[in-house]
Amino acid sequence: MIKNNTPDPYVTLWNRCEAWFLEHLQDCMNGDDFTEYQSFRHNADTHIRARSRLYQGEKLDRVMVHQYSLKAGRSGLVIFGYPRVEYAIPCFLLHIGGMPPARTLLILDLAPIDPALDMTPFQTVAAQQRAVLGLPETQVEWLQPVTSPHLLYCPLKPLEPEQFFATFTATIETWRSAYIEPAQHDTNAAAVQRRSAAIVELKRVLLRNDPAFPVFTRAFGQSMSDVFAEAAFGGNPGVTIAEAVEPLPVPGSWINKKLGVSWNADAQERIHEAPAFLRPIIRRIIEKEAVKEEITVVTLELVLRCEKKYRSGMEL
């Protein structure tokens, strides 16, 4: 667990959640056998850290438990759990963080990887906890193709993380008792291939679109961000960074003829660093800014100014 020597009061809660998770799943995976990656950056102005631990179990191919602390008031907990393809078990997805309690990000789901899975147990828990937490019915558009319709989502709105602990424990208990424990070994080739493809697609969607990774890249650098990405999306089946990253757009290919705005290569490349689902939105915002400023060619300088102006609305 991350040592609680930062001013963020929620690090204690993330440690509590992690400890409970490991204790409650001790029969499903070996909590004493794990691989760990850590990154620290400390200077007069920066005090950031991140740590990923990877676990395995008889029925679980990879469980990543990741904690990060970017600055005072900005920390979080991420847990991704993927089954072995011989078992029909939903994937566990959690990201809670942001700037709680006023602007809390929460994504929590048991993502089905097999059409034969009965998601009623999770549906019941999710409905109860959604009401308790006062969460909206709104889904995450870019996650909808690979997650369940019962996903719990707080889009950087007020949520006291302490209230989340009961939701967290109820979801873990459901994952273990309703899915992991009763799952039977299944080597049917068609079923295994179906589950494998579903896990690969889930990992690919997360890697291409998760807003966390551009934030981690800015905080820790590309090489360490790539290490965290491999921890989150490797395994069997896994997705490599090379497979998930889309090629850069051809320089000068972005032109909005209606607004009379074009883009230079550096500006295009900067936008390409954003998650795929955000790029069209970001382009529209910046092109409108260019029109307001009577700029006909979007430069990197304009992109960086817009980032500074709008980034607070996208903080993790």
Side-chain angles (χ1 to χ4, degrees):
M1 291 177 284
I2 289 184
K3 293 181 180 180
N4 190 13
N5 59 358
T6 75
D8 190 326
Y10 293 106
V11 170
T12 299
L13 177 59
W14 311 147
N15 286 339
R16 179 183 168 202
C17 288
E18 179 175 341
W20 194 95
F21 178 86
L22 296 174
E23 179 182 356
H24 209 64
L25 291 176
Q26 61 182 336
D27 296 333
C28 302
M29 61 187 194
N30 187 351
D32 296 324
D33 183 6
F34 57 86
T35 301
E36 181 172 301
Y37 305 96
Q38 293 198 53
S39 181
F40 303 88
R41 291 184 61 193
H42 299 275
N43 57 43
D45 303 314
T46 303
H47 185 90
I48 60 177
R49 58 179 59 205
R51 188 265 292 138
S52 293
R53 286 181 176 172
L54 304 181
Y55 302 87
Q56 287 186 315
E58 178 187 355
K59 300 179 182 180
L60 298 174
D61 174 70
R62 173 168 296 207
V63 176
M64 182 201 73
V65 181
H66 177 89
Q67 285 197 51
Y68 64 88
S69 181
L70 301 178
K71 65 180 180 181
R74 286 186 61 199
S75 65
L77 172 67
V78 181
I79 301 177
F80 293 155
Y82 309 105
R84 298 189 186 278
V85 292
E86 294 83 12
Y87 296 91
I89 299 171
C91 296
F92 181 89
L93 304 179
L94 166 69
H95 185 174
I96 183 166
M99 293 175 283
R103 291 170 55 79
T104 303
L105 169 69
L106 170 64
I107 293 175
L108 177 61
D109 191 42
L110 298 184
I113 59 164
D114 193 302
L117 276 168
D118 177 11
M119 299 306 296
T120 304
F122 178 57
Q123 179 182 8
T124 301
V125 168
Q128 293 171 344
Q129 297 302 321
R130 182 176 288 107
V132 169
L133 297 178
L135 298 179
E137 294 285 349
T138 306
Q139 294 294 297
V140 187
E141 183 177 351
W142 61 272
L143 277 173
Q144 279 186 302
V146 292
T147 55
S148 84
H150 319 302
L151 178 145
L152 297 170
Y153 177 50
C154 182
L156 290 169
K157 298 294 184 181
L159 174 67
E160 175 51 62
E162 273 290 348
Q163 296 176 328
F164 155 79
F165 188 73
T167 301
F168 175 76
T169 57
T171 305
I172 295 298
E173 289 173 350
T174 302
W175 192 42
R176 186 193 69 176
S177 63
Y179 299 105
I180 298 176
E181 290 178 348
Q184 299 296 310
H185 193 266
D186 175 18
T187 57
N188 178 276
V192 167
Q193 178 57 36
R194 183 171 59 239
R195 290 191 288 268
S196 179
I199 292 173
V200 166
E201 183 59 18
L202 172 63
K203 291 179 177 180
R204 183 178 291 116
V205 168
L206 287 169
L207 182 51
R208 284 181 175 174
N209 294 282
D210 192 334
F213 283 97
V215 175
F216 290 155
T217 301
R218 288 194 297 269
F220 300 107
Q222 187 65 57
S223 60
M224 199 64 215
S225 179
D226 290 348
V227 169
F228 291 141
E230 195 285 327
F233 307 119
N236 181 28
V239 175
T240 67
I241 296 170
E243 290 173 323
V245 173
E246 301 172 30
L248 289 169
V250 176
S253 61
W254 287 4
I255 300 174
N256 188 323
K257 294 181 179 179
K258 183 177 179 180
L259 296 179
V261 175
S262 61
W263 291 67
N264 71 17
D266 289 343
Q268 288 183 182
E269 185 172 348
R270 181 70 176 186
I271 300 304
H272 193 73
E273 295 175 5
F277 82 101
L278 282 177
R279 292 172 200 158
I281 301 171
I282 296 171
R283 282 184 61 181
R284 288 195 295 269
I285 290 172
I286 293 176
E287 286 171 353
K288 289 180 180 179
E289 288 288 327
V291 171
K292 288 180 184 178
E293 299 184 23
E294 299 182 345
I295 294 173
T296 57
V297 179
V298 175
T299 63
L300 179 60
E301 189 272 336
L302 175 60
V303 172
L304 295 177
R305 280 196 284 115
C306 289
E307 282 186 12
K308 186 175 181 180
K309 180 177 180 180
Y310 292 105
R311 182 179 293 166
S312 61
M314 297 298 296
E315 297 282 18
L316 291 176

